[in-house]
Amino acid sequence: MKNACPICRAPTDPAHTPFCSRGCKDRDLLQWLGEGYRIPGPSANDTEGLDSARDTD
């Protein structure tokens, strides 16, 4: 199915694109807010390589 909701695979609704309903749209937002989705990369606590972490003596 070309236009399927990424959450439940139902047909999308133009009012909620790319989702099928407000419920799936909200579930996706909650995944982002609850750190359910993650983007690969260095840790946010990793200060190596940042200008502010260098010794400037």
Side-chain angles (χ1 to χ4, degrees), residues 12-17 19-20:
T12 60
D13 179 352
H16 303 289
T17 300
F19 305 100
C20 66

Side-chain angles (χ1 to χ4, degrees), residues 36-52:
Y37 297 139
R38 298 175 189 259
I39 299 172
S43 171
N45 296 328
D46 183 15
T47 58
E48 186 177 320
L50 297 177
D51 290 338
S52 63

